[in-house]
Amino acid sequence: MVNFIEILERLKDITGKTKNKEIAEILKTSEVNFSKWLQRNKVPYENLTNLCYQNGYDLMYILTGKTTNEIINNQNNNEKSKIFNVQGNNN
C-alpha cells in the first residue's frame, strides 16, 4: 500500500522543501486540503503527476522509493532469471 507520509518525505528530499505548507504550495493545493490528504493517507496522484511532469521529477521514485530505472532493471533481471530457470529445467 502506498503511504502518503513516505511520499511526503521523498517530496521534501527531492524539492528541498521542509514544511508541509511548502509542499502544499508546489502541489497546488490549500493547506487545509493537504492536511486532509495526510489525515486520510490519500495520495494526490494527479497533483504528483503534474508536479513531476512540470519539474522532471521521477514519479516512480516519489511513489515507491525506487527509480524508474531500478524498477526496469529489476524487471529485466526477473525476466532473465525466468528464462534461465526454464532453460535449466529442460536439461
Side-chain angles (χ1 to χ4, degrees), residues 9-90:
E9 291 305 313
R10 287 189 285 271
L11 275 175
K12 287 180 177 180
D13 183 49
I14 286 174
T15 62
K17 308 293 184 191
T18 58
K19 298 178 181 174
N20 288 353
K21 176 183 178 178
E22 295 172 314
I23 298 296
E25 289 173 5
I26 65 170
L27 288 175
K28 300 185 191 288
T29 193
S30 68
E31 288 182 70
V32 171
N33 198 36
F34 184 83
S35 293
K36 288 179 184 178
W37 292 342
L38 276 175
Q39 290 172 353
R40 297 179 181 148
N41 194 33
K42 180 184 181 297
V43 178
Y45 291 105
E46 185 175 348
N47 299 68
L48 289 170
T49 302
N50 289 335
L51 176 70
C52 291
Y53 178 75
Q54 293 167 358
N55 294 283
Y57 299 143
D58 187 339
L59 178 62
M60 194 60 64
Y61 173 74
I62 291 172
L63 294 175
T64 68
K66 294 182 179 182
T67 65
T68 301
N69 285 338
E70 286 177 306
I71 292 171
I72 291 170
N73 288 337
N74 285 342
Q75 183 64 34
N76 288 341
N77 289 338
N78 288 339
E79 291 301 318
K80 289 176 188 175
S81 177
K82 289 177 188 176
I83 291 169
F84 178 77
N85 286 336
V86 169
Q87 291 174 343
N89 289 336
N90 288 335

